[in-house]
Amino acid sequence: MSRIATRFAELKAQRRAGFVAFISAGDPDYETSLHILKGLPKAGADIIELGMPFTDPMAEGPAIQASYLRALKSGQTMAKTLAMVRAVREGDQTTPIVLMGYYNPIYSYGAAKFVREAQACGVDGLIIVDLTPEEDQELREPAVAAGLDLIRLAAPTSDEHRLKTIVSGASGFIYYVSITGPTGTKQVNPADAAVAVKRVKAATSLPVAVGFGIRNEGDAGAIAKFADAAVVGSALVAEISRFVDATGRISPGSTEAVLGLVARLANAAHQTPK
Amino acid sequence: MSAPRLNSYRAGPDAQGHFGIFGGRYVAETLMPLILDLEKAYDAAKKDPSFQAELDRFLEHYVGRPSPLYFAERLTDYFGGAKIYFKRDELNHTGAHKINNCMGQILLAKRMGKTRIIAETGAGQHGVATATVAARFGLPCVVYMGEIDIERQKPNAFRMKLLGAEVRAVSSGSRTLKDAMNEALRDWVANVDNTFYIIGTVAGPHPYPALVRDFQSVIGREAKAQMMKAEGRLPDALVACIGGGSNAMGLFHPFLDDPSVEMYGVEAAGLGIETGQHAASLAGGRPGVLHGNRTYLLQDDDGQIIEAHSISAGLDYPGIGPEHSWLHDVKRVNYVSATDQEALDAFQLCARQEGIIPALEPAHALAYTAKLAKKMGRDKIILMNMCGRGDKDIFAVAERLGAKL
C-alpha cells in the first residue's frame, strides 16, 4: 500500500480527519525551508504538500505567488526541490509527500525523467494545477508506472458529468478546491463545502481533501467534520513572509512560528470528532 | 519548403483543441466547465446565420469594414523591388485589428447571457477595443494591464477609462502582458458566474485560439478578394508582425492552402536575438505550457518563464499562439524577426514616405517587408498587414528619439 493510502487508512481507523500542510520549496531559502519541512510531521502534518515554485502560478493568490518568487530569487530549482524530499526521507519513511505546482517546469525537465527521479527521492504524488484530465495523460502514464499518484482536483464549478471525468483514472485522493478564486483569496464556506464533498464522495471511494480557503483553526475544524483532510497553504507561507523584509533578508524565528501555526491548525483538525 | 505537404493547413484544431502537439486546455479545473460551455456556445453561434449577420452588420457600420487594400507606391519605389500593398486595418474604429475579435466575442458574451467583461492588454489596443465594445453593449468592463505597459501606453490607459472601463494595474511578476493575463485568469476563476473573458490574441485554452483566429480571418478573406480585384491574382508573400499573433493568423489563415503564397511572421527581436533581450518565442524559445496552451515559450533551463523585451508593448509577450507554433514546425510559415531599431526606422520611414504613422507593432512587419521587397523582383507582390496606427506610440517614440513634446 502506498504511503498516501496507508495514511488515510490510519486516519479512518482513528476516526479523525488529517491535516495537510503546504509550503513552497525553497521559501525563503533552501536551508530554512528544509528545516521547516523536516519539522512538519512532528508539528502535526499528516501529509506534506510541497510547492514547486513557478514564475506564473495563475491559480495562486498573492501569498503563494510571493512565496514562489522568494524561493526562485533564492535559487530554488526543480532538482533542489527533489533533493529536499530526499533529505526529508532520510529521517521520515511514513509521511506522504505530494509535490504541487504547474506543468511547465515538469515538461521542461522531461515528464518521464521527472517522475522517475521524484519516485526515487521519496515523492508519493503530484498535484498539477493546470493539468486537466483532458491533458494529463502524458504525465499520468509515467507517474502511474513509477507508482506515483496523480491527484486530481474538483471545484465548485464541477457538475456531476464533470466529476465523472475527474474521478475516472484518479488515484491517491481528490483535492476539492473549496472556493472559486485563487488560493487564499476567499474564506471557505463550510456548509457549501460539505455539500460539495458529499457529491464528490458519491462519485468516488477515494479520500477527499479540502483546500484553497482554509485560513484558521475554526475553518480547519469545520472542514474536518466532513472532509478526510484539511489543507492549509497561504496562511503558512504568509507566516514565513513575516520573517522576510523588503530586501529579502530573513530574520530568525520563522521555523518555530510556522511549526507553531501548523500545530494549532493540525490540532483543530484532529480534535474534531467525525 | 522541404516538409511534406499536407492536404490542408486549415483543418485544425482537433476536437481537443490541438494543433499538432500545440494548443490544448491547460487551466485550473474551476475553469474547465466554463471553457467547455464557451466551446459549445461558439459552435452553436457559428452555425447560426443570424449571429454572423449581426456581426457583419457591426463590422460594417461600427468598425468600418472592409478596410482598404492600399498600394504603397512610394515605399515600393523607395525599396525598388516587389510591389507593396498594405491591408489597412489601422483604419478600423479604435485604430487596430483588435476590434474585429472583440466585436465577435462581445456578441458571444451577450448570447451566453454574461453580464461582466474582463480582458488583458499589453499595448492597450485590445483593452481599448474591449472597453469600446463593452461600452457599446452596456456591460461593465475590467481591463488588466501591467504597470510598465500603463507607463509606456498612457494614452490608451486613459482612453479605456474614458470608455468607462476600470483599468487595473498589475504589479506582479514582470508587470507586463503575461502578468496581466495571469491576473485576468485569476479574476475569471473568482467570478465564474457572470464573467466573460475576452482574450485578445490567438492564445489561451481551446477554443480561444480558434475562435480569435476565426474572428480575425475577416482580414485575410477581404484581402484575398481585394487583391484579386486589384491585381487579378494572389500576392506572392504575406507579412505580419507577431506578438501572440492574432493579426498574422487573421491574414494568413484564408491563404494557408494557396501554395504559391509565402508567409512571413515577424517576431520582435528587441535588442537582438543574440542579446537574449527580445520577444521572439519561436526564434529563442522552446515548447512549454503557459496561459492555457502548449506553445513555444521564452523560458530558462528549469522551465521558468523569462520576461520578454520589445520596444512595442503589443509584442512584448514570452509566448505565441499555438497555431503559429504548429505552422512553424510544419514549415508552412516562415518566422523571422526585426529589432527595436529596425522597427523604429521603419516607423519613421512609413510616416514620411506614405503619410501613414504605423503602430510600432506593424513597423516590425514593415522592417522585414523592406528586406523582402528588395530581394523580390518588381513583378512580385507583397501584402503586409498594417494592423494598427501609431497615435498611441508617439510619446514613447518621441522619448526614444530624444524629442521634447
Side-chain angles (χ1 to χ4, degrees), chain B residues 30-47:
Chain B
T30 311
L31 290 179
M32 269 310 286
L34 282 81
I35 64 173
L36 292 170
D37 272 357
L38 174 62
E39 186 184 356
K40 239 186 269 165
Y42 178 54
D43 283 345
K46 265 197 295 198
K47 291 183 194 124

Side-chain angles (χ1 to χ4, degrees), chain A residues 53-58 60 65 72 77-78 104 107-108 130 132 134-135 138 153 155 157 162 166 180-181 186, chain B residues 18 24-27 29-30 32-33 178 182 185-186 189-190 286-289 294 299 301-305:
Chain A
F54 183 48
T55 41
D56 294 80
M58 63 181 177
E60 312 303 339
Q65 285 176 47
L72 289 172
T77 61
M78 294 293 278
N104 198 56
Y107 181 57
S108 169
D130 58 351
T132 53
E134 280 78 357
E135 304 288 352
E138 69 183 51
L153 301 107
T157 53
R162 188 70 198 155
I166 292 165
T180 53
K186 290 178 186 170
Chain B
H18 296 117
R25 287 175 285 216
Y26 296 86
V27 294
E29 181 55 41
T30 311
M32 269 310 286
K178 84 171 171 76
N182 288 333
L185 284 164
R186 289 175 187 130
V189 171
R286 57 195 163 84
V289 172
R294 187 187 328 241
Q299 53 185 316
D301 291 343
D302 214 35
Q304 305 295 340
I305 307 304

Side-chain angles (χ1 to χ4, degrees), chain A residues 154-156 175-180 187-189 192-193 210-214 223:
Chain A
Y175 190 125
Y176 179 70
V177 173
S178 66
I179 57 166
T180 53
Q187 192 161 9
V188 63
N189 178 331
D192 291 348
V210 174
F212 267 51
I214 301 176
I223 294 301

Side-chain angles (χ1 to χ4, degrees), chain A residues 182-231:
Chain A
T183 46
T185 55
K186 290 178 186 170
Q187 192 161 9
V188 63
N189 178 331
D192 291 348
V195 174
V197 167
K198 208 172 195 176
R199 287 200 304 122
V200 178
K201 281 184 166 291
T204 180
S205 55
L206 288 171
V208 180
V210 174
F212 267 51
I214 301 176
R215 290 188 172 167
N216 52 41
E217 293 156 68
D219 295 341
I223 294 301
K225 282 185 191 148
F226 55 86
D228 297 298
V231 188

Side-chain angles (χ1 to χ4, degrees), chain B residues 197-212:
Chain B
Y197 180 13
I198 298 187
I199 291 184
T201 193
V202 286
H206 178 65
Y208 281 103
L211 176 159
V212 176

Side-chain angles (χ1 to χ4, degrees), chain A residues 11-199:
Chain A
L11 288 165
K12 195 172 182 185
Q14 294 160 5
R15 302 175 69 84
R16 61 187 180 93
F19 179 71
V20 183
F22 170 99
I23 62 165
S24 304
D27 171 29
D29 60 28
Y30 185 89
E31 286 307 322
T32 311
S33 183
L34 181 59
H35 203 203
I36 294 170
L37 195 59
K38 284 181 168 171
L40 286 174
K42 199 166 165 244
D46 299 291
I47 295 174
I48 293 169
E49 267 180 31
L50 188 58
M52 297 177 281
F54 183 48
T55 41
D56 294 80
M58 63 181 177
E60 312 303 339
I64 293 177
Q65 285 176 47
S67 84
Y68 277 174
L69 291 180
R70 284 195 298 271
L72 289 172
K73 207 173 159 193
S74 83
Q76 189 69 14
T77 61
M78 294 293 278
K80 284 185 181 175
T81 298
L82 292 179
M84 284 179 80
V85 177
R86 198 185 311 119
V88 173
R89 274 285 166 255
E90 283 167 11
D92 183 330
Q93 289 300 319
T94 54
T95 308
I97 300 178
V98 176
L99 297 180
M100 184 161 185
Y102 293 79
Y103 188 45
N104 198 56
I106 292 177
Y107 181 57
S108 169
Y109 201 97
K113 177 172 175 252
F114 181 78
V115 293
R116 243 183 358 255
E117 293 181 17
Q119 196 278 336
C121 290
V123 171
D124 301 290
L126 303 170
I127 304 175
I128 310 302
V129 180
D130 58 351
L131 212 47
T132 53
E134 280 78 357
E135 304 288 352
D136 73 7
Q137 193 184 351
E138 69 183 51
L139 183 63
R140 186 159 40 93
E141 282 179 359
V144 168
L148 295 188
D149 290 317
L150 187 58
I151 289 143
R152 285 194 174 152
L153 301 107
T157 53
S158 311
D159 59 15
E160 309 304 326
H161 181 72
R162 188 70 198 155
L163 278 175
K164 258 187 217 160
T165 306
I166 292 165
V167 302
S168 150
S171 67
F173 59 93
I174 299 291
Y175 190 125
Y176 179 70
V177 173
S178 66
I179 57 166
T180 53
T183 46
T185 55
K186 290 178 186 170
Q187 192 161 9
V188 63
N189 178 331
D192 291 348
V195 174
V197 167
K198 208 172 195 176
R199 287 200 304 122

